[in-house]
Amino acid sequence: AQSVTQLGSHVSVSEGALVLLRCNYSSSVPPYLFWYVQYPNQGLQLLLKYTSAATLVKGINGFEAEFKKSETSFHLTKPSAHMSDAAEYFCAVGVGGNDKIIFGKGTRLHILP
Amino acid sequence: EPEVTQTPSHQVTQMGQEVILRCVPISNHLYFYWYRQILGQKVEFLVSFYNNEISEKSEIFDDQFSVERPDGSNFTLKIRSTKLEDSAMYFCASSGETGLAGSEQFFGPGTRLTVL
């Protein structure tokens, strides 16, 4: 069965600092991995996805994530945080095709001025 | 840009009442989903729907739940007799890329259901 674990329900970084949101996955088959962002009172928006192509995936808004099979990780990073990055971020895993997506518990990112 | 819409944004109901949550997926999409998020918990899969039938459902999706695509545009989730524990944010999603692995699911803004 597939699952994801997000380390840290809340992360605070200063504006301009590196953002690092951690995600580890468990999957019995090659996974498809996603990061979604949820801004206040809005739906879930796809930031990026890994589908077994390049291990370093670039997404929107300057975010990227690296798939590391040896560490079963898919951490999300952004070199320089912006106030507008404050949101909840969800790591998720899919089996493939158009199957269900299994979400982590989410990490709320706070940006300090 | 096409988007998934959901109505209402907030629904308050009494325990035991029936509710219907409505979604309009992106028009050319083929796959439809419902997820829910209980306050403070993670987003959970409920059901997926393709070709006018359920393709997968979770343990949460018991006999009290049903889905329907009554016309060419709407996708509904019905809860027949609501319970307090049904209070959650319900997200509709759709995807359109037939058979492609890791297809992106586009999510609506959600309906917050409050059962009193």
Side-chain angles (χ1 to χ4, degrees):
Chain A
Q2 286 71 34
S3 66
V4 290
T5 301
Q6 292 184 243
L7 300 178
S9 57
H10 292 265
V11 170
S12 296
V13 301
S14 298
E15 191 174 17
L18 171 72
V19 175
L20 170 62
L21 303 182
R22 299 177 186 274
C23 173
N24 289 89
Y25 70 90
S26 173
S27 178
S28 56
V29 297
Y32 300 95
L33 296 162
F34 309 85
W35 276 98
Y36 281 85
V37 61
Q38 184 179 29
Y39 297 103
N41 301 315
Q42 295 188 28
L44 297 162
Q45 181 182 7
L46 182 70
L47 271 180
L48 49 82
K49 65 180 181 182
Y50 167 77
T51 56
S52 75
T55 56
L56 182 62
V57 182
K58 294 188 183 299
I60 62 172
N61 301 339
F63 284 93
E64 62 182 37
E66 186 172 8
F67 173 74
K68 291 187 176 180
K69 185 177 179 180
S70 61
E71 299 177 8
T72 62
S73 68
F74 190 58
H75 301 331
L76 181 71
T77 60
K78 181 174 179 177
S80 178
H82 191 273
M83 294 300 290
S84 61
D85 294 327
E88 183 121 26
Y89 291 80
F90 294 93
C91 182
V93 61
V95 177
N98 293 95
D99 290 343
K100 65 187 178 188
I101 292 175
I102 298 169
F103 287 84
K105 290 189 174 183
T107 297
R108 184 166 294 279
L109 177 64
H110 304 271
I111 308 298
L112 307 173
Chain B
E1 184 176 334
E3 59 182 13
V4 177
T5 60
Q6 291 185 242
T7 55
S9 57
H10 193 186
Q11 173 89 47
V12 180
T13 189
Q14 295 291 325
M15 187 171 56
Q17 295 296 304
E18 174 183 287
V19 295
I20 297 176
L21 310 183
R22 302 181 191 280
C23 168
V24 179
I26 294 173
S27 62
N28 62 347
H29 280 185
L30 303 173
Y31 297 82
F32 313 110
Y33 312 83
W34 284 102
Y35 294 81
R36 79 172 186 189
Q37 183 182 28
I38 295 172
L39 188 64
Q41 299 185 25
K42 62 182 177 181
V43 178
E44 302 172 290
F45 168 78
L46 291 178
V47 65
S48 58
F49 191 86
Y50 170 71
N51 199 26
N52 284 321
E53 62 182 27
I54 291 173
S55 46
E56 186 176 359
K57 59 183 180 180
S58 72
E59 292 177 353
I60 303 168
F61 195 88
D62 61 22
D63 292 343
Q64 292 300 311
F65 291 87
S66 62
V67 290
E68 193 178 30
R69 188 155 163 81
D71 52 40
S73 60
N74 289 285
F75 180 52
T76 62
L77 174 69
K78 181 193 291 186
I79 309 175
R80 289 190 183 80
S81 178
T82 50
K83 302 186 287 286
L84 295 176
E85 53 264 39
D86 293 327
S87 294
M89 180 74 89
Y90 288 81
F91 292 105
C92 173
S94 70
S95 69
E97 300 166 32
T98 307
L100 290 180
S103 301
E104 177 179 354
Q105 294 183 19
F106 292 81
F107 284 79
T111 293
R112 180 164 297 284
L113 176 65
T114 302
V115 182
L116 303 176

